[in-house]
Amino acid sequence: MSETLQTLHYDVVVAGGGLVGASAARALAERGLKVALFERRYCGAQASGVNYGGVRCQGRPEVQLPLAMRARRIWDRLPELIGIDGEFVRSGHLRLARRESDLEPLDAWSAMAENYGLSTTVFRGAEFRERFPWLGEGAVGGSLCMSDGHANPRLVSPAFARAARALGAEVLERTPITSVTHDGVRFQLTAKPETGDELHVSCDWLLNTSGAWANHIAGTFGERAPMHAIYPNMWVTEPLPKFVGHNLGVYGGGVYARQVERGNCVIGGGRGTGDGEYAQPSADTTRAVMREACALLPALRNALLIRTWSGVEGETPDDNPIIGMSRTTPRLVHAFGFSGGGFLLAPGVGEVLADLVTQGETATPIDAFAVDRFATAPVSHAEV
């Protein structure tokens, strides 16, 4: 398709209006580029807006820590960047050990994290019981990172899109991209709004931030990744007297919990169900994980659950995201496959993507997230 007077041209098109895409659009618009963000539904309505809300560096793989630390600094600036605090609370993150053998890896992770400027303290024995009397016998120790916290994803994700629009980015919701090609010079796209005529768009840069659906674009350019859909399972209780002192996780996974200012406890663990397009929570999973949660938090035993939910996220074989330049197509940049851990990272990823577009590189190490690291991995029919 040749460019005509009817073709809209942008410096950058962002494909996907989750927290990664919206934060990238905001950062690029702030740097003076002409940006359009296309979202097939509503910004922040998928995994970015329905996740657990943990803002934690603790427990991440070492390769993620430089990016995580960059992202964490951005969370302190939310009112300045997006006009709201997103209910971000620096509560600390307590990573619990369920058995004595879990304490050694917590010690090792704490020592490693010190090299990146992240401070954690491991508690055990009588000191642990005295410090955290509200925990049950299901935990024998834990590692506390006081710089971590939690926020409300339903507020944060759409706010980044609004901030991008306020800085001059064009944000088009309910406008799926229906085709994309590269003509050797620029990307040529078509998009179909829910109402109105089809749009013809060209751009110099294309950011693939389409979450669990990112293989639609990656595959078009020969870079389909071995990613499958996951459906995190979460629920919330009635308001309870405040008793949970920190955002909680467990070494080895299984359950996570936090309590908001209103007293509701947000709890998650296990998986819901879905078809790759939509998700729903699992009652069986909720019951099973709630029993484990009650062993850790006895005050939950008589709590009423008032809502459960799930979402669709993309998971990679190594649980690390795909972030960086395409290996097949100039000026195509990928950022997807966050494997359930992207909420903290996303604002930092947006800045990294803006670096790649405006500078051609970034000071934040991202080589471990290259799209071609799975080049020899088979792609199964179950992948999205």
Side-chain angles (χ1 to χ4, degrees):
M1 180 184 69
S2 62
E3 185 168 313
T4 69
L5 291 176
Q6 288 73 44
T7 298
L8 304 170
H9 179 72
Y10 300 93
D11 298 320
V12 187
V13 163
V14 181
L19 187 49
V20 171
S23 63
R26 195 212 67 83
L28 288 162
E30 185 177 49
R31 299 186 194 194
L33 278 72
K34 186 179 181 182
V35 181
L37 176 117
F38 288 85
E39 166 55 46
R40 62 180 183 149
R41 293 176 184 160
Y42 293 94
C43 290
Q46 300 300 315
S48 293
V50 299
N51 64 81
Y52 165 70
V55 179
R56 63 163 182 88
C57 294
Q58 180 168 218
R60 292 182 179 274
E62 184 173 1
V63 294
Q64 289 188 18
L65 281 184
L67 176 60
M69 296 296 283
R70 178 176 182 174
R72 174 61 188 84
R73 291 189 291 272
I74 296 173
W75 282 89
D76 289 328
R77 301 172 55 214
L78 286 192
E80 166 197 344
L81 297 177
I82 63 174
I84 61 170
D85 66 8
E87 296 182 3
F88 173 57
V89 177
R90 188 177 175 272
S91 63
H93 178 264
L94 181 60
R95 192 181 185 201
L96 297 172
R98 286 175 287 199
R99 54 193 68 85
E100 294 292 333
S101 59
D102 293 341
L103 290 168
E104 184 176 346
L106 291 184
D107 287 330
W109 194 95
S110 180
M112 178 274 293
E114 287 284 353
N115 298 324
Y116 296 90
L118 185 62
S119 178
T120 60
T121 303
V122 179
F123 296 90
R124 51 182 28 96
E127 183 184 21
F128 174 74
R129 290 291 166 213
E130 183 178 348
R131 178 69 181 262
F132 309 108
W134 40 273
L135 287 168
E137 296 300 319
V140 300
S143 173
L144 179 61
C145 179
M146 280 306 303
S147 58
D148 285 346
H150 56 84
N152 187 336
R154 297 187 67 172
L155 298 178
V156 173
S157 299
F160 267 90
R162 291 195 300 271
R165 182 182 285 120
L167 288 168
E170 189 163 357
V171 178
L172 298 99
E173 296 181 302
R174 295 185 297 171
T175 307
I177 293 172
T178 54
S179 71
V180 56
T181 61
H182 192 277
D183 64 11
V185 178
R186 291 172 170 169
F187 293 93
Q188 304 292 340
L189 303 91
T190 56
K192 183 63 175 72
E194 193 171 279
T195 59
D197 297 331
E198 185 175 71
L199 303 175
H200 298 271
V201 177
S202 72
C203 59
D204 299 317
W205 289 82
L206 176 62
L207 305 189
N208 178 19
T209 60
S210 303
W213 301 273
N215 267 329
H216 294 309
I217 290 177
T220 297
F221 295 101
E223 294 184 303
R224 185 176 178 85
M227 179 176 68
H228 67 273
I230 58 173
Y231 314 101
N233 198 78
M234 289 155 285
W235 56 98
V236 64
T237 73
E238 63 181 325
L240 301 170
K242 290 297 289 295
F243 71 100
V244 180
H246 306 289
N247 178 13
L248 301 179
V250 176
Y251 177 78
V255 63
Y256 37 92
R258 62 187 179 92
Q259 190 171 23
V260 302
E261 185 62 31
R262 293 174 294 277
N264 308 79
C265 290
V266 181
I267 309 164
R271 298 287 185 235
T273 61
D275 60 5
E277 187 70 17
Y278 296 98
Q280 63 182 23
S282 163
D284 289 341
T285 298
T286 300
R287 282 191 288 266
V289 178
M290 192 63 181
R291 285 192 290 271
E292 183 176 353
C294 289
L296 297 172
L297 297 167
L300 291 176
R301 287 174 182 161
N302 296 313
L304 295 177
L305 304 189
I306 61 175
R307 184 167 63 91
T308 64
W309 70 94
S310 184
V312 185
E313 170 67 301
E315 183 178 64
T316 66
D318 61 6
D319 290 329
N320 281 317
I322 292 165
I323 306 170
M325 304 291 291
S326 166
R327 304 307 196 202
T328 66
T329 309
R331 297 186 174 182
L332 171 63
V333 189
H334 300 296
F336 61 89
F338 286 86
S339 305
F343 189 56
L344 162 82
L345 296 178
V349 176
E351 294 283 346
V352 165
L353 299 183
D355 291 346
L356 295 176
V357 171
T358 59
Q359 304 168 20
E361 60 183 1
T362 181
T364 302
I366 58 171
D367 288 349
F369 313 133
V371 66
D372 59 351
R373 72 184 187 272
F374 301 121
T376 59
V379 178
S380 77
H381 294 298
E383 288 161 358
V384 296

